[in-house]
Amino acid sequence: MNWIILTIAGLFEVVFAFCLGKAKISTGNEMYLWYAGFLVALCTSMGLLLKATQTLPLGTAYAVWTGIGAVGTVLIGIIVFKEPITFWRLLFLITLIGSIIGLKAVSH
């Protein structure tokens, strides 16, 4: 169950990064709403990470959490914010995904 909680925490990390990106290109009240979304997603992500680390090894949980956030944020950058897709970005993204899977596979 805590792996599911950790995965959701990682997804909320993607949400808070997305909110930062949207706030950067917004103005006025809309910008403040994106910052509010950032704060809610940040607190949710941290709270779920805290819950997951009650039974999962801290180093593994943190690495998986940041990995999910990194992979998701890169994908959001490519899909939503039209960041460039290059061979090297995709290669290292695949390497990162493999590392996340490997950490889950070897953790107890």
Side-chain angles (χ1 to χ4, degrees), residues 10-84:
L11 294 175
F12 271 100
E13 187 179 4
V14 176
V15 171
F16 76 67
F18 172 75
C19 289
L20 279 178
K22 292 297 279 185
K24 184 173 114 176
I25 60 174
S26 300
T27 58
N29 288 336
E30 182 182 352
M31 178 184 67
Y32 293 114
L33 288 173
W34 285 114
Y35 282 132
F38 163 79
L39 289 173
V40 169
L42 174 68
C43 292
T44 303
S45 182
M46 293 292 175
L48 292 170
L49 176 63
L50 177 66
K51 174 70 175 148
T53 58
Q54 291 176 346
T55 58
L56 298 175
L58 177 62
T60 301
Y62 183 76
V64 169
W65 175 74
T66 57
I68 292 169
V71 168
T73 302
V74 168
L75 292 174
I76 290 293
I78 290 169
I79 295 166
V80 176
F81 297 110
K82 307 300 183 213
E83 294 177 0

